[in-house]
Amino acid sequence: MLNDQSFPWLTTLIVVPLLGAGLVWALPGAARRHARTVAVAVSLLTLVLAVVAALGFDTAASATHQLEEQVSWIPAFGVSYALGVDGVGLALVLLSVLLVPLVLLAAWREHPDAVATGGERIRHYVALVLVLEAFMVAVFAARDVFLFYVLFEAMLIPVYFMIGAFGGLQRRYAAVKFLLFSLAGGLIMLAGVIALYLHGPGGPEGFLVENLVGLDLPVTTERLLFLAFFLAFAIKAPMWPVHTWLPDAAEQAPAGTSVLLVGVLDKVGTFGMLTLCLPLFPEASRWAAPVIIVLAVVSILYGALLAIGQEDLMRLIAYTSVSHFGFIVLGIFAFSSVSIQGASLYMVNHGLSTGALFLLAGFLVARRGTARIADYGGLQKVTPVLAGTFLVAGLSALSLPGLSTFVSEFLVLVGTFTTNKPAAIVATLGVVLAALYVLLTYQKVFTGPVRDDLATTPDLSTREKWVVGPLIAAMLVLGFYPAPALDLVRAPADVTLEQVGVTDAAPAHGSADATTSTTDDGSDQ
Amino acid sequence: MMTTALAALPLEAEGAVAAASASGAFSVAWLLIALPMLGAAVLLLAGRRSDAWGHWLGVLASGSAFVVGAVLWFAMMGLPADERVQDLHLFSWIPAGAFSLDAGLRVDPLSLAFVLLVTFVGTLIHVYSVAYMEHDTDRRRFFAYLNLFVAAMLLLVLADSYVLLFVGWEGVGLASYLLIGFWNHEMPNAVAAKKAFVANRVGDIGMIVAIGLMFATFGATDFSSVFGRAEGAGEGLLTATGLMLLLAATGKSAQFPLQSWLGDAMAGPTPVSALIHAATMVTAGVYLVVRSAPVYAGAPTALLVVAIVGAITLLFGAIVGCAKDDIKKTLAASTMSQIGYMMLAAGLGPIGYAFAIFHLLTHGFFKAGMFLGAGSVMHGMGDSVDMRRFGGLSRYMKVTWLTFAAGWLAIIGFPGLSGFWSKDKIIESAYAVADGEGWQPWVFGTVALVGAGITAFYMSRLFFMTFHGDKRWSDGHGEGPADGPVRHPHESPRLMTVPMAILAVGSVALGGILAFGDSFVTWLEPVTGHAEHHEPVLPIWLIMVLTFVLVIAGVFLAWRQYAAAPVAVVPPRGSVLTRAARKDLYQDDVNEALLMLPGQYLTRSLVYGDRQLVDGAATGLARVVAGSGEIVRRVQNGYVRSYASTMVAGIVALTAVVLAFQI
């Protein structure tokens, strides 16, 4: 059986990319031009290892942390190197290790100066991506609040360089802004982390999440702690009104960086809300939920309206993400098992659709040298495959049924309907705005007469098809058959809801018998 | 007020019928969707490699779905009425705990009627398109989208839950978007495609809210559970659900107030207009209402609104149809109006459901036939759609003329033809609604009656302007006006005329066959329930006579103006109403003033505000919190690398603080 819990799978998934990064940096002169090949190979190895590890994951017990490892790190103040994933963590780990090889493959020719500098820059870039991969896996697997915090902050470093050293003209401004926002959130959270520990049981395992759940905190303390954590996560997510670093970062960063930044890193924010805020501070979560739901709904509509008004493709995609993160946060704080499952699933699906959109936008930029929407037009005739894949990714972003994002957005909405009808109805307006921002963009970039300066634009190369192909396949598969993903997030959602102390509202005219819950046990026979 | 009429609805019996789990021939019903879906997938993935044979594969995929549909129909004919609702379980689709939904199909008389319409008319239109799109370099992609449409439409009508129906619902919307914008290298076509999709999305709000309400109330979204539990729910909730479903239906079926996209949708190739924007997809809203009969059974107010929307659209479309000079847009206005008839019938409740579907089927034949005829005319007239430059074509395109005549006579309700049977029943039922009490029968009945007269006028206008009267084009050899555009009208190839002829036969005979012995109404009874006969407020013979007189008057007026007298090649100024109707009764201006302009203004102000206010405030705050101005200044001054060390130093220092605290 692959389910050998004694093998340190998660550490392996962290160490392999780190070693890979070291290897890339240590390559001797002549071998340096193979840096990208090495990096792709390492990331593919990590992907294979992750899949093997996932096969050992018992989905029937997806609410329990599995693949656990624990080593005492700083016993003097309760810090452990404790790893383990429940279904949600595993899903996000898998998303991360899937996106990294695609990003590396996409970055093949992203830097025109790569040749001039002997491939030095791309070598640093791919190494940083691998370092980031290690941190991403670690942060979703951390079971120790302090370890989580350290990783939460440490991730800033590779991303900072990935924006600030490899981005566009305003890259330094964008990188500093990203850092400022993250640092601000991080500092507040640190205060919360320390205070939480002081209220905890202490001892050598005092920072373990499981030892901090269910503390009998004074009401005010709990609320303040909640706010400290939530603010950091809201900045990361990003939610309105602390979202403004993201459009700048996405505009300046190379497309691949944006994929990881928005597709994975920002999920640490919503992941933190789900796996730390709710279980650690249930009373405060219930207390703050009405306001957070309003902010989430504002994010949905605001992000979508801003996306419609953008002139830069990358900023546009960033704003669509603000809207999508609004749905995720809404799902988490609507406190229904269905909406929480939707939110968990949304984190994965958003990574697929937005990842594909950023990558395809990157391919456009690589061809034209600009992300200004007005510089494009009529490309459908010239590059039908690029147009078609962009449309599919866009349709996924607007949650077209049959594509994976639909299932998650739909579950968020119907779940919210059971607990907060007004919020659900207002959020539903987002589907019209989503159609506008996707189809307007498609219209401007791909339809109309072919522009003379674009008439010889090459269509997607084989390499580029291999980059977007897996994402589109995943969108279709998880759209028509989301059961494997839902099996991972269903039980954790129930447990989270229990920890918050809320039970699902029973339907007013539901049936007493179990005719509709034949698949509750996860089997689909 | 409707309760007595509704008492006749055997809801309990229907629940019992629903329990039958599909077996035998019905267990392969999934092939109906899989075959065209496979066709679309192959054509899209194979790309240019399949250019040579792709169109025939498309025909084959659609045709084989028709064969499966026919087999299922024969199988169902062999079953007693109370076993004709068959649920086919496919797989566990969304197993999300409290929300657990299986993908499944419901094969019943209603869905099968649609299956046969979609696959039969659809296949004919596939065949027609082989010739119509012959010179298009992207013909293969066209067939891929057509197959995608057929698959999605069949999913829509076969789904056994609202959520799966929604997948098909959006799927047909996508196919419609792709096909309206098939020639999207011309910007207006791309804009029309987007407009259609967005208008449909506005309707989708209704669908999502309705599903959300169902889940919150019934804990389920599959037909069996929702319909079984609807009786126990309060009227307020059912009314809200019914109205939301109606909102969805108005988007998809181009009903007031979401009708404005349909005319623009004529930007798509004509076979698309025939299949999607006349015969099938746009009627999905009617399907949705009829399918949801058990929800509407407890929501008389919602049902009344359905009827009102239908009545408004019926007149709206008919009035617009009178003023258009574009042959396709006239047909589009007519489609809107005819779906208004269906919606009105559906809004009458149990006495109208079957007639709504009956008219939907006959309309599917005669309207598709006329669209194909219009395509044939365009084919012979250099792709022109301006009826003011047609005229006298009956001599040049005999088959097109004759088949079009069949459609024309059918839609105006010429006695004995298909439209006569279906539309007359709607007028009659409208006069019988609400047990003949109050204002409803008089208003709805009269609207339907007057609509028939207007229909006769605008359809005859179209027919005479196109096929009769003077030639308003030149053949380049001295025939026709010298200043007219040079045209060489000719009959279309067999691949086009044969499908037109088959649809013409349907336009003539289908109505009579389905009306014979009330066979179609009886066929639908397992779904719509048995409706008792209700007496109209006017004697039936009088309604028939009045209808006939109005129709003859409409035809005569059109003949006098557009066949007997010369037709101006430049549209005359016209009355206020004509000018308004030419502009679709200002629907776009209203949308622009109420939605688009405020929306653009809002977006622009938000973009400005985001940069100036929100960003400024948030960044300022972050700067203060991240504090220690020294770090910030140094980083900003470009000492990039110093941050990393500062960061590490910071973590170490903080760790030390924590340690100190602990000790």
Side-chain angles (χ1 to χ4, degrees), chain A residues 177 243-244 302 319 448 490 509, chain B residues 95 97 184 217 232 610 615 654:
Chain A
K177 192 168 180 179
H243 63 278
T244 57
Y302 188 91
Y319 276 109
R490 185 169 48 241
H509 298 279
Chain B
N184 65 17
T217 314
D610 194 58
D615 187 26
L654 291 165

Side-chain angles (χ1 to χ4, degrees), chain B residues 503-516:
Chain B
L503 290 172
V505 171
S507 307
V508 172
L510 182 69
I513 294 169
L514 295 182
F516 185 75

Side-chain angles (χ1 to χ4, degrees), chain B residues 404-428:
Chain B
F404 206 107
W408 164 60
L409 291 172
I411 193 174
I412 66 173
F414 192 82
L417 272 65
S418 287
F420 166 78
W421 300 103
S422 52
K423 202 193 299 185
D424 242 38
K425 284 292 184 188
I426 294 179
I427 301 173
E428 221 174 84

